[in-house]
Amino acid sequence: MSMMDTKTPATTIWIVSDGRRGIENQALGLAEAVAARLASPCRIERVVIRKGGLVALPAASRPDLWIGCGRAAIKLARKHRTIFPDAFFVYVQDPRHRHDVFDLIIAPEHDRLERRNAVSMIGSPNRIARARLDEDRARFADRIEALPGPRAAVLIGGASKRYKVTPKIADYLEARLAHLLDQDVSLMVTVSRRTPDAIRARLSDRFASHDRVWFFDGEGENPYFAFLAAADWIFVTEESTNMLLEAGATGAPVYVLPMAGDPGKFARLHAALESRGITRPYLGRLDTWTYEPLAETGRMADTLLDRWPGHAAHKESA
């Protein structure tokens, strides 16, 4: 990034969501990618819509760029357009019947949204950037280096609208982790907020005390980005589209672990990732392959800046 005039007014980006990590991170990832491309100073502010409609707004702040994600942000956008008429309004995902509220809609390719103000990307934006991966790997270096190589990151999600974690799936996950250890692969395992407590406890009891396993259950500093950076392979349960996309942005081989359910429209996303050589089903044998890491978030940031009046000229020159 080139030198910036400190007297230049900061560009203010609001990220608007209900605060759930998986939702907010999509807007935040896009905002961070935009900020990295601006030649002027930039400030990213959170706007959280609480249950009951209470909105936590940044103090003494007005948005130049408004980025929302999640249903709660759609209703608020119409109100904010009146209050902040000069802001550029962006929505991540498909706002259903509120397309006219936004200047730009960034929708997943698998939604097949065709609108004048909409563009498509593979999946959704995320926060994966080389600098962040390197920084977090360095921050957790001692703990990671204590695990003998090779290493696999195992990202375990949980129940969703389309998937369930059945006892049979729990047996499968436990067996797969044990099989990887039998192949002398160290494991960096993280569970999510959606992982059922019984499955979390079962996997923790079986693997957390193993000297070649780092089992993160949500307590303490989150090593998620460090896990991605240090992995020779990444295993992801199939229901978690966000984690699949984040894994696919690293360049490391990604194996998909099945869950019980029907992917519906997300089958198109799985097919897109597999067709690009990013993901493969795990059949019990570890292979090594390369692919072009997903850079969709950056591509969407460039598209946003090109469509944002008055800001295309302020993009950081390469």
Side-chain angles (χ1 to χ4, degrees):
M1 185 173 293
S2 65
M3 296 296 291
M4 296 181 294
D5 181 357
T6 57
K7 295 181 180 180
T8 303
T11 297
T12 300
I13 304 176
W14 279 12
I15 57 167
V16 185
S17 75
D18 60 11
R20 285 180 293 166
R21 183 177 301 171
I23 298 296
E24 184 179 75
N25 278 351
Q26 294 179 46
L28 180 56
L30 180 61
E32 289 173 338
V34 168
R37 287 161 166 75
L38 289 175
S40 58
C42 188
R43 180 174 62 245
I44 298 174
E45 306 269 18
R46 295 176 73 225
V47 175
V48 179
I49 306 163
R50 308 294 185 188
K51 287 184 178 180
L54 179 66
V55 181
L57 292 174
S61 174
R62 296 177 65 87
D64 298 299
L65 173 60
W66 191 105
I67 302 175
C69 187
R71 291 186 180 181
I74 299 173
K75 184 177 181 180
L76 187 61
R78 188 177 292 278
K79 179 180 179 180
H80 278 184
R81 285 213 73 122
T82 302
I83 301 172
F84 309 112
D86 295 329
F88 190 72
F89 281 75
V90 178
Y91 187 78
V92 177
Q93 303 293 342
D94 181 353
R96 305 296 173 90
H97 305 296
R98 295 292 184 269
H99 303 101
D100 61 317
V101 177
F102 302 98
D103 298 300
L104 178 64
I105 298 166
I106 295 175
E109 193 175 86
H110 56 261
D111 277 352
R112 296 179 174 175
L113 177 64
E114 295 184 5
R115 304 281 298 194
R116 173 191 55 79
N117 58 337
V119 293
S120 296
M121 66 178 291
I122 299 172
S124 53
N126 60 64
R127 301 186 66 201
I128 300 301
R130 191 72 256 167
R132 173 169 288 111
L133 295 177
D134 292 343
E135 178 183 335
D136 273 36
R137 177 165 185 169
R139 187 153 57 96
F140 292 98
D142 290 346
R143 186 74 185 270
I144 289 172
E145 295 307 321
L147 298 172
R151 307 178 188 94
V154 184
L155 317 179
I156 298 174
S160 67
K161 290 181 180 180
R162 294 186 173 275
Y163 290 95
K164 295 180 180 179
V165 186
T166 64
K168 185 176 181 180
I169 291 297
D171 292 342
Y172 169 83
L173 292 174
E174 184 174 348
R176 283 309 190 201
L177 296 183
H179 181 62
L180 289 170
L181 287 171
D182 288 342
Q183 297 180 79
D184 295 324
V185 176
S186 293
L187 303 181
M188 301 172 291
V189 183
T190 181
V191 292
S192 78
R193 295 177 181 178
R194 294 183 294 102
T195 307
D197 290 341
I199 306 304
R200 182 191 306 258
R202 175 176 172 178
L203 295 177
S204 179
D205 290 345
R206 173 74 186 274
F207 299 108
S209 61
H210 197 289
D211 59 2
R212 285 194 288 112
V213 175
W214 182 354
F215 188 91
F216 179 70
D217 63 0
E219 297 296 324
E221 278 194 287
N222 191 340
Y224 179 74
F225 292 124
F227 282 6
L228 294 179
D232 297 290
W233 302 277
I234 303 175
F235 290 76
V236 188
T237 52
E238 70 172 316
E239 94 298 339
S240 183
T241 57
N242 285 344
M243 291 195 296
L244 280 169
L245 292 163
E246 289 162 348
T250 67
V254 181
Y255 281 114
V256 180
L257 299 173
M259 298 284 271
D262 178 3
K265 67 179 181 180
F266 295 106
R268 296 195 287 269
L269 172 62
H270 288 282
L273 295 176
E274 191 165 346
S275 69
R276 285 163 175 78
I278 295 171
T279 63
R280 296 180 184 180
Y282 183 60
L283 304 176
R285 187 185 73 183
L286 286 168
D287 294 318
T288 300
W289 69 92
T290 60
Y291 58 87
E292 186 68 28
L294 280 178
E296 291 287 86
T297 303
R299 185 171 71 85
M300 290 298 100
D302 288 333
T303 299
L304 187 160
L305 287 167
D306 286 340
R307 296 199 181 196
W308 185 5
H311 279 76
H314 297 290
K315 286 195 297 181
E316 188 64 66
S317 58

